[in-house]
Amino acid sequence: MAQSPPPRYSFAELIEELREAAEEIAPELNGIRAEETLEGESAQMIEEMADALKRIANGAPRPQELARAALEGKAPLKPIGSPKNTVVKLQKPRR
């Protein structure tokens, strides 16, 4: 009897796993942010492609343009995780 293959990860699961891996490895890479790692960029690329495919599947106009934009991968990298060294100052209004 043939075994069935194990279930595949969903887009969301893959993205989450890659982002977690990026956050784990980034502290070991001097000055490289999590979103700049191979795992971080891969997570964003998968997210962008999944979004484009969903929009195309839902009948978005100009599907070829959506596909081209996703394949180019030129969107700015989105930060991963929460900011660690952020200082927020409350400004008082001048009188």
Side-chain angles (χ1 to χ4, degrees):
M1 187 175 225
Q3 289 184 337
S4 61
R8 294 180 61 180
Y9 286 99
S10 69
F11 282 122
E13 291 168 328
L14 282 173
I15 292 164
E16 182 180 343
E17 290 291 326
L18 285 167
R19 286 194 172 132
E20 286 177 10
E23 285 186 283
E24 287 177 16
I25 196 168
E28 299 170 16
L29 306 171
N30 298 330
I32 305 271
R33 299 176 308 177
E35 60 269 21
E36 295 172 335
T37 64
L38 178 63
E39 294 83 355
E41 285 200 43
S42 297
Q44 183 165 329
M45 181 67 76
I46 291 170
E47 185 176 51
E48 290 168 359
M49 289 185 178
D51 180 58
L53 284 172
K54 287 175 189 174
R55 292 172 63 193
I56 291 167
N58 288 327
R62 301 182 308 280
Q64 289 177 330
E65 288 180 29
L66 286 173
R68 261 189 223 102
L71 289 170
E72 285 176 357
K74 291 186 178 179
L77 292 174
K78 299 175 191 172
I80 295 176
S82 58
K84 304 220 181 338
N85 296 324
T86 303
V87 176
V88 178
K89 294 181 181 180
L90 296 175
Q91 295 184 356
K92 296 180 182 177
R94 293 183 185 204
R95 294 182 186 195

